[in-house]
């Protein structure tokens, strides 16, 4: 799934670890990701967390999509930050799942949390591309 994710690869997101119900991805904050306040635009941080969530929830095999997600920004991302997102499966029940993603940066004093993300997943059954996915 990640190999075909052009949006994530265009932003330089790298998948560095993937296991059942778990994933780690990284992204460097570039000039084009900084907003008018000179901090990382929250949408890019959300995209990193969402990509990592997608890798974790699709690790079980069936096609799984987000049914909802929320993010809390804890600290500002800055130009040049190397952000690390770690997704962990909290629970799966039926076709649903809940995953937590922590986005942090490394500092001389250790990891500093930038954002906390919670994603809700839903396993779907794909039909022909003309008809689109069914839920």
């Amino acid at each position: 799934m990640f190999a075909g994710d052009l949006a994530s690869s265009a932003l330089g997101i790298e998948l560095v670890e993937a296991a059942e119900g778990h994933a780690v991805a990284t992204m460097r904050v570039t000039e084009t990701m900084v907003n008018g306040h000179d901090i990382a635009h929250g949408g890019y941080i959300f995209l990193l967390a969402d990509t990592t969530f997608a890798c974790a929830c699709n690790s079980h095999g069936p096609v799984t999509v987000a049914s909802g997600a929320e993010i809390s920004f804890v600290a500002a991302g800055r130009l040049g930050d190397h952000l690390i997102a770690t997704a962990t499966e909290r629970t799966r029940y039926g076709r649903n799942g809940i995953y937590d993603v922590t986005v942090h940066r490394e500092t001389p004093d250790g990891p500093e949390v930038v954002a906390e993300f919670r994603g809700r997943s839903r396993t779907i059954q794909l039909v022909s591309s003309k008809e689109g996915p069914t839920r």
Side-chain angles (χ1 to χ4, degrees):
M1 182 222 52
F2 183 76
D5 185 346
L6 297 179
S8 296
S9 65
L11 293 176
I13 294 175
E14 295 180 14
L15 180 63
V16 295
E17 187 179 323
E20 195 165 291
H22 173 80
V24 177
T26 64
M27 178 184 78
R28 175 88 47 201
V29 177
T30 65
E31 285 182 351
T32 60
M33 297 176 182
V34 176
N35 65 21
H37 297 295
D38 205 29
I39 59 176
H41 190 292
Y44 290 106
I45 296 170
F46 187 97
L47 194 144
L48 171 63
D50 187 50
T51 295
T52 312
F53 157 60
C55 291
C57 69
N58 277 279
S59 66
H60 297 287
V63 174
T64 305
V65 297
S67 63
E70 61 185 50
I71 194 165
S72 295
F73 298 106
V74 178
R78 304 257 178 231
L79 178 64
D81 278 354
H82 182 247
L83 300 178
I84 302 160
T86 303
T88 305
E89 181 178 281
R90 305 306 299 162
T91 189
R92 286 190 326 151
Y93 52 101
R95 294 173 37 209
N96 305 294
I98 297 173
Y99 294 77
D100 287 335
V101 182
T102 298
V103 178
H104 77 275
R105 68 172 148 247
E106 291 295 332
T107 71
D109 297 326
E112 180 180 5
V113 174
V114 172
E116 291 288 348
F117 171 105
R118 173 155 279 190
R120 296 175 306 283
S121 67
R122 179 82 171 169
T123 300
I124 62 170
Q125 197 173 48
L126 288 180
V127 294
S128 78
S129 60
K130 291 180 185 177
E131 298 173 37
T134 59
R135 297 177 193 262

